[in-house]
Amino acid sequence: MTALTDREWAARASTLSPWRADAVASLLMATTPPTSPMPRSLDQQVEIETPEHVAFAYTMAGVGTRAAAALVDTAICTGGYALLLLLAAWATRRYGGPSGRDLAGEWVTALVIAGQFLIFWGYYVLFEGLRDGQTPGKRYFRLRVVQDGGYAVTLGASAARNLVRLVDMQPGILYGVGLLSVAVSRSGKRLGDYVAGTMVVQERRTAFVGGDDAAAEPRVLVAGPALLDEAEFAVLQRFVARRSSLDRPRREALTGQLVSRFRARVPGGPSGDLAFLIALEASERRLRELGGAARSDTGAHREQHALVARGLPDWRHFARLLDDAERRGLSAMSEDEVSDFVARYRAITGDLARLRTASRDRDVDAVYYLSRLVAGGHGLLYRQRRLRPAVVGDYVFDAIPAEMRRSWRPIALAAVLLFGPAIGAFEAVRRSPQAAAQMVPRGLVDRAETGVVRQREGGGYLPEEDAQLRGAILTSAITTNNLQVTFGAFALGITAGAGTVLVLVMNGVAALGAPLGFYARMGLLEQILGFVLPHGVLELTAICLGGGAGLQLAAAILLPGALTRRDALVERGRRALTLVAGASVLLLVAGLIEGNISPRVWPLWEKAAVSAATAVLLLWYWTLGMGRGTAGERGAAVIARGGGERGAASRS
């Protein structure tokens, strides 16, 4: 390389933009430049391999950013609930009767109960499942939930991670469990993420500062090598960027060390030491931007800067296309636009693979920049397809019954944990006044005492004048309560099953055995059975399904088999969620029966006939799809039809 005059050195330096400073003072103190790569940041990253067999890294969302997004979402939920209450108050005044006990008032109350349930349980599930992993809070802070492997989160995975939110938000609503899990996890996962196989990532992309973005002419590749190797150039670059922030003695000492190392290699250049280092840094950077190799580079390493020089215009063009595609969505793009986008995405994945090889063991800005672009393109192209009605039908009438049969053991164990304590509590309360006093709450005692009066008058479990009016409220309140019990039994499976067992036993005693035992003691067993029988078969089966789902998670933790616990938790979590979906279907049907049939004053045999009919329908549902492959195969087929391998990449 020929010597440069002072004017040439100055001209080169003046055409280059200043490099972003990297605050690593320890490098500047080293007489011998380090050879190990410098970490880009303290962010947690996880490496993903695309279907094109190219690896890139996602930057995990930090605790602070996730907490800020959660605050925004909480504010939205709170505002939504407040608006719901205002609308309910207006509707009651507008359509309600003088006593507030008419049909309109009861339905308003029922809708408020259902609305509160949907806000608490449905907000995160629906936004993340149907809006590509982003709630409004996550979207504002540019966070996204993705599945392990970089794929878009499915509705099922969103449901799994957010049902376990019941545990993550403890104690109370402080999210202590979730925050602790995120802080100690290498991939920033809370418990719900482990069950669903998901993670929360940042979507911010860095701007690559190498080269002149405005230059339109082709870049000319130089043949001569740079004078400094990469480690030396990194030290010089950091010194030049931070020189003004150093105190004078420190700057002079470092200047002397660097000049003594580099001056002999450059025949010409500015005479002043500091001016020499500034000009040398500008020259070395420009050579790299034009594709020149470093002095120490051999083999594939020599291609690193040439790859950047050739590819940078195309990368920046793809970055603009990606911004536009994320804003508009692939569905709004023409077939030619999608094909061009996919072709360019595949081209930059190839560039990333080559660049990672050429820059092996080095922390290179271009690799980081390309990784962000590939991550954005991967997330866009492999998002799930829209949920089709046919897939929902297949899931309800095929995958759910298949999983119920496949998981009969944990379901049976859940039934034992529910009905065993219930039978014991029934007998204890029926026979012992002391047990009744300890196990039966005062409200139930008062209800039974008024029930004695209604029985003499030929009435039912509810006062006849209130049965129809309160049916809507009962349907809403009891259905949402049972859904929450079912969700809780599933979510608490993450405690290795201890929480699930507790939920089943407590509900067997307090919600089933003790009330029935007390009504039997008061001579009102027929009255309460007349209310419970029509919907009881479906309702109790649903709770057993929820308990079986929680025990599935417990089995993944305690008995993972050949899989790792992490993989077993994801696999069992998918199966468990299918049981929860089945329980939800049964509870919705049971709620309709409970609101329209259970409160009616019918003979007991007619109520028993309704119960028998629901049992027959449940048996029929249990047998759907038998003989058409194993349960796992049927479930996998339904999931695949719903968009398992998804995205627009296959369209090109």
Side-chain angles (χ1 to χ4, degrees), residues 48 59 94 200 223 269 359 370 375 425 454 461 535 547 559 586 624:
I48 300 295
T59 299
R94 177 69 175 80
V200 182
S359 60
L370 266 190
R454 287 196 299 274
Y461 181 73
H535 62 272
L559 302 169
L586 297 185
L624 286 178

Side-chain angles (χ1 to χ4, degrees), residues 83-426:
L83 179 61
L84 179 65
L85 292 178
L86 291 175
L87 291 175
W90 173 83
T92 301
R93 288 194 303 269
R94 177 69 175 80
Y95 299 105
S99 65
R101 295 292 301 277
D102 62 337
L103 186 60
E106 299 294 338
W107 273 102
V108 167
T109 303
L111 291 175
V112 169
I113 295 172
Q116 180 184 13
F117 174 84
L118 289 175
I119 289 173
F120 181 81
W121 291 101
Y123 176 86
Y124 288 95
V125 172
L126 295 178
F127 266 112
E128 291 180 1
L130 301 179
R131 301 293 297 175
D132 290 318
Q134 286 187 315
T135 60
K138 288 185 174 68
R139 184 177 182 84
Y140 180 80
F141 286 98
R142 303 207 68 173
L143 307 180
R144 189 182 298 277
V145 180
V146 298
Q147 292 188 194
D148 295 341
Y151 295 106
V153 66
T154 64
L155 185 61
S158 174
R161 79 183 299 272
N162 286 300
L163 292 184
V164 181
R165 185 180 296 274
L166 182 67
V167 180
D168 279 314
M169 66 187 294
Q170 302 305 316
I173 58 171
L174 301 178
Y175 281 87
V177 173
L179 290 174
L180 178 62
S181 177
V182 170
V184 302
S185 170
R186 286 183 297 178
S187 52
K189 289 175 177 272
R190 62 176 177 84
L191 297 182
D193 291 313
Y194 283 112
V195 173
T198 56
M199 54 188 172
V200 182
V201 301
Q202 294 180 357
E203 287 209 315
R204 292 190 295 273
R205 293 194 299 276
T206 183
F208 183 56
V209 297
D212 184 5
D213 194 31
E217 69 277 2
R219 295 182 181 273
V220 179
L221 304 183
V222 299
L227 295 176
L228 308 182
D229 62 31
E230 291 302 302
E232 291 172 330
F233 177 61
V235 172
L236 177 60
Q237 194 175 54
R238 286 168 174 81
F239 170 76
V240 170
R242 298 188 65 237
R243 67 187 187 280
S244 60
S245 64
L246 300 173
D247 58 81
R248 183 173 180 178
R250 178 71 170 162
R251 182 172 62 249
E252 291 178 351
L254 292 172
T255 300
Q257 292 178 11
L258 294 174
V259 168
S260 65
R261 185 176 184 91
F262 301 142
R263 174 69 80 173
R265 302 182 194 174
V266 184
S271 57
D273 289 347
L274 185 58
F276 165 76
L277 293 177
I278 293 173
L280 178 60
E281 187 273 340
S283 175
E284 290 290 304
R285 181 173 359 127
R286 184 62 175 169
L287 285 170
R288 284 164 174 79
E289 288 171 357
L290 295 176
R295 207 180 84 181
S296 59
D297 286 343
T298 58
H301 283 320
R302 298 186 63 82
E303 300 181 15
Q304 172 187 330
H305 301 293
L307 287 170
V308 175
R310 287 194 299 263
L312 189 58
D314 292 333
W315 303 345
R316 284 182 168 143
H317 182 66
F318 180 79
R320 291 189 287 269
L321 292 179
L322 180 58
D323 286 335
D324 181 64
E326 288 180 336
R327 183 174 58 254
R328 295 166 55 195
L330 288 178
S331 59
M333 298 170 64
S334 68
E335 191 71 24
D336 289 341
E337 287 177 320
V338 173
S339 297
D340 178 64
F341 183 86
V342 172
R344 289 180 179 275
Y345 166 76
R346 288 174 173 165
I348 69 166
T349 59
D351 288 345
L352 177 59
R354 288 188 290 273
L355 190 59
R356 286 174 64 96
T357 299
S359 60
R360 187 172 57 252
D361 299 328
R362 299 173 181 174
D363 188 41
V364 178
D365 286 89
V367 172
Y368 184 76
Y369 176 69
L370 266 190
S371 291
R372 303 276 61 75
L373 292 181
V374 171
H378 179 273
L380 187 66
L381 292 172
Y382 291 95
R383 288 178 185 172
Q384 65 182 35
R385 297 186 296 227
R386 294 186 181 274
L387 199 62
R388 295 176 286 119
V391 174
V392 177
D394 289 343
Y395 186 74
V396 172
F397 295 104
D398 195 346
I400 290 176
E403 187 55 52
M404 289 166 60
R405 295 191 299 271
R406 185 183 182 189
S407 300
W408 70 269
R409 290 180 179 86
I411 296 172
L413 179 56
V416 171
L417 293 170
L418 177 68
F419 293 113
I423 294 172
F426 176 85

